[in-house]
Every structure is written in structure tokens, then in C-alpha cells.
Amino acid sequence: MGGFILSKQVETATPAKYNPKLEYYKELWRQLRKNKAAVVGGGFIVLFILISIIGTPWIGPHVLTYAPDAVDIPNKLQPPSADHWFGTDNYGRDIFTRIIYGMKLTLFIGFTSVAIGGIFGVIFGVVAGYFGGWVDTIIMRIMDVLLAFPGILLALAIVSVLGGSIQNMIIAVSIYSVPAFARIVRGSTLSVRKLEYIDAMKALGASHTRIIFKHILPNVMSPIIVQATMRIASAVLTASGLSFLGLGVKPPTPEWGAMMNEGRNFMRESPHVIMFPGMMIVIVVLAFNIFGDGLRDALDPKMKK
């Protein structure tokens, strides 16, 4: 009887099953939480995403007083007031409303272009780093040619050839993002490829596809995530720059760069026309950069030490 009770007590005291993935994410959150600036930046990013995905369909019709394309010429270039929080533009449109609606388009361009560029960049980087030889030489020389051009000039050249539109702007920013991903992934792949367990997998007859997807990619995801986070900031800045130059989103679509382009002729007498869209670009870019820095510090074992 005593043995039965003892066994029940031992069974009850058995610890829960260890989940390495859950512990990894907990440790990542603990490291990230130490960086207050990164937490603030991440909070702004979450807020912007919620406004873009969930907020616009609900906030727009129920909270915002004005439509983003509602023209009111008699009230054009009004300064910020209780009726128009950010003032009005040269057509009398409410700038605050246009910024809220433009947030969705700006983030869509940033996320989509980085996702497309990241996919191709990861493929090129893994293939170049894993196979090496002439494959590595050809791929990386092409990446070097793309990197020889400043990002905004490369995107500007591509959009000039393809024409100004949202789709072409996403293509241009995507191509501009490919070399950065390729170089980072190639370097990480070269390090992982030299590990002993990769040689063991090859000796056991594992295919290249299995080794790449099961063993290479999971070990190079950390720099990919960090690069993607920080690249979104560059993509937003590049896309806004193209729209400001008249080669991106066309009026009257509410996009922050295009809004600055429309208001630049009135910046002396009504500086709020370009100040608020420019301020939003700065906040978004800063939030992604700060969060990316904190995420890099949390994911890099050397930074933890």
C-alpha cells in the first residue's frame, strides 16, 4: 500500500514535457523585452498593421468624418483644427483621413515587395552558398552588378522602363531588395554547409532538396527575419520616394509620397500639407529600423553575451 502511494506521488511530481520551440520563443521574448526601444517600435508596427487591416473598413465609415477623396475647394489649405486634425490639402481634402487610408497602401507595398524580393533572394543565396563553384560565381556577380547601383536609382530606372504604377513600383522595389537577401543568406549557408551533420546527411544519401529545406534553411532563418524587418523600412522609403517623383502611385490615390508630391508647391504658405505625410514616413521607417535592431540583438548569440 505504501509503495502504491509513493508511486502515485512520484507520478504526480513528474515535470511537464519539455518543448524546445516554446522555450526558444520565450527566451527570444525575454531578450527582446530588455530593449525598450525595440518594444516601442514593435508596438507602433502592430498598431499600424491593425489600422491597415482591421481599422480602415471600420474606422473609415464610422469614425472618420470625411472621405479620402472628398473635394472641398472653399476649405482648401486649411491649417490643423478641430474639424481637420491635420488640415486640408490644395483640393480641400482632409489630410488625416488620407493618411489613415494611405497607411494600408504604404504598408502593402512595403510588405509585398520585401516578400517577393526575399523569396528570390533566399533562393539565389542558398543555391549559391550550397553548391558553390561556377553557380556561386554567376549568381553573386549578378548580385554585385545590382548592388553597384544605389537602391533608389535602380528602382527609378526600373520604374522608368516599366512605367509608373503600383505593380511596377512593387516589382522595382522587389528587384532592389533581392541582392541584400542573397548576400546575407549565402554567407549563412556557407557557414552551415561546413558543419559535420551536413556531411553526415550527404553520406547517408539525403538529396540536395532535403538538406536545403530540412537543415540549411531552418538554420539561416534568423538573419532572414532581421533583414526582412529592416528591409521593409527601406522599401517604404523607396516607394514613397518614387511616388514623390511622380513615378509611383498616381493621384488621387492617398499614398504618403504622392501626397507630398501634390503638396510641395504649397509648402511655404501651408507647410502642414507635406509635414504630416513626411512625419508618418519617418515614424514608420524609424519603427521598423528600431525593431529590426532589437530583433537582431535578441537573435544573435554573440550580442546576448
Side-chain angles (χ1 to χ4, degrees):
M1 185 68 178
F4 174 75
I5 295 175
L6 182 60
S7 64
K8 290 291 289 182
Q9 291 176 345
V10 173
E11 181 180 349
T12 305
T14 301
K17 186 177 179 180
Y18 177 74
N19 189 336
K21 287 187 177 181
L22 181 61
E23 291 300 321
Y24 171 78
Y25 290 123
K26 287 182 178 179
E27 178 63 21
L28 176 62
W29 169 243
R30 281 193 292 267
Q31 293 293 331
L32 186 61
R33 193 170 52 184
K34 295 178 181 178
N35 191 328
K36 303 300 182 183
V39 173
V40 173
F44 272 105
I45 293 172
V46 172
L47 176 63
F48 295 150
I49 293 175
L50 289 177
I51 293 175
S52 301
I53 298 177
I54 302 173
T56 304
W58 294 95
I59 292 177
H62 299 93
V63 177
L64 298 179
T65 307
Y66 307 95
D69 55 353
V71 176
D72 186 10
I73 298 297
N75 290 315
K76 67 178 183 179
L77 300 176
Q78 292 293 315
S81 63
D83 293 330
H84 302 281
W85 292 355
F86 288 176
T88 60
D89 63 6
N90 54 309
Y91 292 103
R93 298 171 297 193
D94 185 67
I95 295 177
F96 177 76
T97 303
R98 290 176 62 78
I99 284 178
I100 294 297
Y101 277 88
M103 187 179 297
K104 182 176 183 179
L105 179 58
T106 299
L107 292 182
F108 172 77
I109 294 172
F111 277 98
T112 305
S113 58
V114 170
I116 297 173
I119 290 173
F120 284 98
V122 169
I123 292 173
F124 291 143
V126 169
V127 171
Y130 180 77
F131 291 103
W134 63 269
V135 176
D136 181 24
T137 302
I138 292 176
I139 292 177
M140 296 317 297
R141 293 301 76 77
I142 295 175
M143 297 299 109
D144 289 341
V145 170
L146 294 177
L147 284 172
F149 296 92
I152 186 65
L153 292 182
L154 178 62
L156 185 63
I158 295 172
V159 172
S160 300
V161 173
L162 298 178
S165 68
I166 296 177
Q167 294 81 3
N168 292 339
M169 186 165 60
I170 291 175
I171 293 173
V173 180
S174 301
I175 295 174
Y176 152 61
S177 301
V178 169
F181 281 99
R183 289 180 67 88
I184 289 177
V185 174
R186 174 185 176 270
S188 300
T189 302
L190 288 173
S191 300
V192 176
R193 189 188 67 176
K194 297 176 182 178
L195 298 178
E196 294 181 356
Y197 80 94
I198 298 296
D199 294 332
M201 293 300 299
K202 292 179 180 178
L204 291 173
S207 64
H208 295 311
T209 303
R210 178 178 178 82
I211 293 175
I212 289 174
F213 283 96
K214 293 285 291 184
H215 302 284
I216 299 290
L217 279 179
N219 284 283
V220 301
M221 283 305 297
S222 295
I224 293 174
I225 294 172
V226 173
Q227 177 66 18
T229 304
M230 302 185 72
R231 204 68 190 177
I232 291 173
S234 300
V236 169
L237 196 60
T238 303
S240 299
L242 291 174
S243 296
F244 179 77
L245 295 173
L247 294 173
V249 177
K250 299 298 183 183
T253 304
E255 197 274 337
W256 297 341
M259 291 171 63
M260 294 182 66
N261 181 36
E262 288 186 272
R264 62 181 175 176
N265 294 325
F266 310 95
M267 60 184 298
R268 291 184 179 274
E269 62 269 24
S270 301
H272 67 276
V273 177
I274 68 168
M275 182 181 70
F276 289 109
M279 180 182 65
M280 289 305 302
I281 294 173
V282 171
I283 292 174
V284 169
V285 171
L286 190 62
F288 276 103
N289 278 329
I290 291 176
F291 180 71
D293 282 336
L295 194 60
R296 180 187 58 195
D297 296 346
L299 289 171
D300 191 350
K302 296 179 182 178
M303 297 298 294
K304 292 178 185 178
K305 295 178 182 179

